[in-house]
Amino acid sequence: LLKIWRILPFWVRRIASAILRPHYQVVGAMIFNDQKQLLLCEHTCRRLHPWGLPGGDLRTGEDPVDGIEHEIREETGLTVQDARLLLVENSIKIRQVALPYHCAGVSGTFLPNEEVSSILYFDIGKLPDFFQEHRVTIEICLAILNTEN
């Protein structure tokens, strides 16, 4: 395989590398309202599990805090004043490194877009169905936040 790899044109190796390597993803922003409900987005591209945290992939060389702030803005139109890293999680089930942030100081107005059709705050005990890996990450983050209070 290495011999084949070496003879491939650079652009083919670059595309293959982007497909085969893990994605570094800001899995989500943990944003709560005054009633301690968690903000979730209804993502348009996810058919089986449309609900999830606002977030997305980091750009190459992008600071993770800038990444989560730009993903929140891009997906919801909202801005945050404070983003604090809660956890670094390297999943063994899905190809991703999760960097969930607790975000506060939310302002702005939601505007539906190509990625997110709606946002809602949910009670922690009544979260909708979404990817199991993300549910586990949320539970770990909630435990971290509970120990701080």
Side-chain angles (χ1 to χ4, degrees):
L1 286 175
L2 212 63
K3 289 180 183 181
I4 294 170
W5 183 259
R6 288 184 186 133
I7 63 170
L8 291 174
F10 176 76
W11 66 270
V12 173
R13 287 185 294 175
R14 189 169 190 170
I15 291 171
S17 184
I19 293 168
L20 298 174
R21 289 188 177 170
H23 293 272
Y24 295 92
Q25 189 176 42
V26 179
V27 165
M30 303 284 291
I31 300 172
F32 298 91
N33 64 10
D34 293 337
Q35 291 79 37
K36 304 223 186 276
Q37 295 172 311
L38 181 63
L39 178 74
L40 296 179
C41 297
E42 186 175 24
H43 293 91
T44 59
C45 62
R46 299 180 189 168
R47 291 190 181 130
L48 293 177
H49 306 286
W51 291 99
L53 296 170
D57 293 339
L58 283 175
R59 297 176 185 144
T60 302
E62 182 176 35
D63 180 89
V65 172
D66 293 341
I68 193 63
E69 289 174 353
H70 107 258
E71 285 293 337
I72 293 167
R73 206 171 32 257
E74 182 179 282
E75 290 188 356
T76 68
L78 304 175
T79 59
V80 295
Q81 298 299 316
D82 181 38
R84 182 174 55 89
L85 183 65
L86 292 172
L87 171 70
V88 175
E89 181 180 45
N90 190 359
S91 175
I92 58 173
K93 292 187 179 185
I94 56 176
R95 298 175 54 181
Q96 109 184 345
V97 174
L99 303 170
Y101 282 81
H102 178 243
C103 297
V106 179
S107 62
T109 303
F110 172 72
L111 297 172
N113 56 67
E114 292 178 359
E115 289 186 64
V116 175
S117 58
S118 65
I119 61 172
L120 288 172
Y121 284 94
F122 289 88
D123 291 328
I124 296 302
K126 296 179 181 177
L127 296 177
D129 186 39
F130 50 89
F131 292 112
Q132 180 60 29
E133 293 81 11
H134 292 189
R135 183 173 298 280
V136 170
T137 300
I138 288 172
E139 289 171 0
I140 294 168
C141 290
L142 289 171
I144 291 168
L145 289 169
N146 284 336
T147 60
E148 294 174 352
N149 293 332

